[in-house]
Amino acid sequence: MNLEALCKEAGLDFYDDELVSENAKKIYRVYVMKKGGVNLDDCARLSEILSPLFDVEPPVNGEYFLEVSSPGLERKLTKLDHFKKSINELVKITTNEKEKLKAKIISVEDENITLENLENQEKITLNFNDIKKARTFVEW
């Protein structure tokens, strides 16, 4: 099933999906984005598109609950595409060498992510494979 195409049909951009277990219940989550932000109507519209399709071709085995939502302002970046969708946003990164930095994502080219370090405004480039953990953040 092509989740990206189905999201586009609802006027949304597919961000990610995950299967989690909470209170002994399986929850299949689909995260979507949209310029200007995702609202409740957007989530309901996509859920109405996905539900009948998932009745025929379930995304997971057994009983589950479907949730459609925005990934939020502060979200995990686990795929190269997540970094591409987060250009000009602030990010906290932990490298495989356990170096921690706060930076702004400037660009993503191939597997290289160019950042502007918030401490000294230096531009640095990291290879996606050198990043252990990354998350966007908002300065309040």
Side-chain angles (χ1 to χ4, degrees):
M1 182 167 308
N2 187 342
L3 277 176
E4 282 190 45
L6 292 167
C7 289
K8 288 246 182 284
E9 190 176 308
L12 302 165
D13 292 319
F14 173 76
Y15 184 78
D16 208 351
D17 63 339
E18 70 178 348
L19 179 64
V20 296
S21 185
E22 291 179 6
N23 301 322
K25 295 178 183 173
K26 283 197 272 189
I27 302 170
Y28 180 66
R29 290 191 177 127
V30 176
Y31 296 105
V32 293
M33 299 178 87
K34 178 177 88 172
K35 274 199 185 338
V38 175
N39 62 39
L40 193 55
D41 290 339
D42 295 324
C43 295
R45 187 170 52 255
L46 181 60
S47 185
E48 289 168 4
I49 291 170
L50 295 178
S51 288
L53 296 172
F54 286 170
D55 287 344
V56 175
E57 195 178 318
V60 297
N61 292 326
E63 273 189 40
Y64 69 94
F65 292 91
L66 173 64
E67 282 185 8
V68 176
S69 74
S70 159
L73 289 175
E74 296 189 352
R75 60 194 175 279
K76 289 187 256 181
L77 305 176
T78 57
K79 300 174 182 173
L80 197 54
D81 194 45
H82 293 169
F83 284 89
K84 289 177 183 172
K85 290 179 178 177
S86 301
I87 289 174
N88 292 322
E89 292 189 57
L90 301 179
V91 65
K92 292 179 185 176
I93 293 177
T94 303
T95 66
N96 292 333
E97 286 78 41
K98 295 188 173 61
E99 178 188 355
K100 294 183 183 225
L101 64 121
K102 289 182 179 180
K104 180 179 180 179
I105 302 172
I106 304 298
S107 66
V108 179
E109 200 168 307
D110 298 320
E111 292 203 350
N112 294 316
I113 301 159
T114 303
L115 307 159
E116 181 182 295
N117 189 320
L118 293 182
E119 285 182 24
N120 56 22
Q121 281 65 51
E122 281 184 21
K123 286 207 170 48
I124 47 176
T125 300
L126 291 177
N127 186 284
F128 175 72
N129 296 317
D130 294 332
I131 297 172
K132 181 178 183 177
K133 198 164 66 169
R135 171 175 219 88
T136 60
F137 75 97
V138 176
E139 284 187 328
W140 301 100

